[in-house]
């Protein structure tokens, strides 16, 4: 394929994709509403569950930290005497 033909094909693809991605896809998503986010149950069992933002990881980390704090003794040996606290 000559160089100028490749350039023309690239421009045609970009010009064609712009209205589709910027206008058609959002319009169809708006028309579909909540059903746009429907996911088949059988497919949900097959596809692994992952979080892009790591919500589950942060939740597990916070729960583990709360558990460690609950296990630490808070008896008199753990308290700092009042006379050692700077004023």
């Amino acid at each position: 394929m000559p160089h100028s033909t490749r350039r023309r094909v690239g421009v045609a693809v970009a010009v064609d994709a712009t209205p589709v991605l910027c206008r058609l896809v959002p319009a169809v998503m708006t028309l579909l509403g909540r059903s746009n986010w429907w996911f088949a149950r059988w497919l949900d069992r097959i596809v692994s569950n992952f979080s892009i933002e790591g919500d589950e990881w942060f939740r597990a980390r916070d729960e583990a930290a709360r558990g460690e704090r609950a296990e630490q003794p808070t008896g008199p040996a753990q308290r700092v005497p009042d006379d050692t606290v700077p004023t």
Side-chain angles (χ1 to χ4, degrees), residues 36-82:
N36 185 47
W37 303 108
W38 175 80
F39 200 66
R41 283 189 199 134
W42 65 270
L43 190 57
D44 191 27
R45 283 185 233 120
I46 296 171
V47 176
S48 62
N49 188 11
F50 67 94
S51 174
I52 294 172
E53 296 164 351
D55 292 334
E56 290 86 11
W57 184 83
F58 286 111
R59 191 176 305 117
R61 183 197 64 177
D62 294 343
E63 287 174 4
R66 274 187 239 119
E68 289 175 5
R69 274 189 253 132
E71 293 174 4
Q72 292 177 352
T74 57
Q78 295 293 325
R79 292 189 191 145
V80 177
D82 291 335

